[in-house]
Amino acid sequence: MPHAKEHPLAGRKVVPDAQTGTVLYVVDWLDRLPGAGYLLRAGNPVGDAFRHRIAGLDLHVSGAVLAHAAPGVALIHHAELPSYDPVPVGVIS
């Protein structure tokens, strides 16, 4: 079942890892975006990298969030994003 509301960081730029400094533009929960499910199909490099990363963190694929990154699109688990409050940690815009 899709998430009922957009991700709290949707439309914001975040830096989830201060060591790398990579800036991500958070789009929304993956399950709320029509046609975006193909990213999780086996053989898709973005989905394969995401599944491999979250398996090591013991997280579930239902927490997938789509983001734009420098080389294109990225999938990130919501637990890997800065926590949300009115001014989330790591938000740069």
Side-chain angles (χ1 to χ4, degrees):
M1 171 177 265
H3 288 84
K5 296 182 180 180
E6 74 177 6
H7 191 278
L9 295 174
R12 296 181 182 259
K13 290 181 180 177
V14 299
V15 179
D17 184 353
Q19 289 182 337
T20 65
T22 302
V23 177
L24 298 176
Y25 175 80
V26 177
V27 177
D28 202 354
W29 296 105
L30 185 66
D31 60 15
R32 288 179 42 91
L33 303 169
Y38 77 92
L39 290 168
L40 288 175
R41 289 190 188 138
N44 184 304
V46 174
D48 290 347
F50 174 71
R51 279 191 305 280
H52 179 71
R53 190 175 69 252
I54 68 168
L57 300 172
D58 198 28
L59 300 171
H60 192 268
V61 73
S62 65
V65 175
L66 181 67
H68 290 283
V73 297
L75 290 177
I76 189 161
H77 195 276
H78 74 93
E80 298 175 288
L81 291 169
S83 59
Y84 182 79
D85 61 31
V87 181
V89 175
V91 170
I92 60 172
S93 72

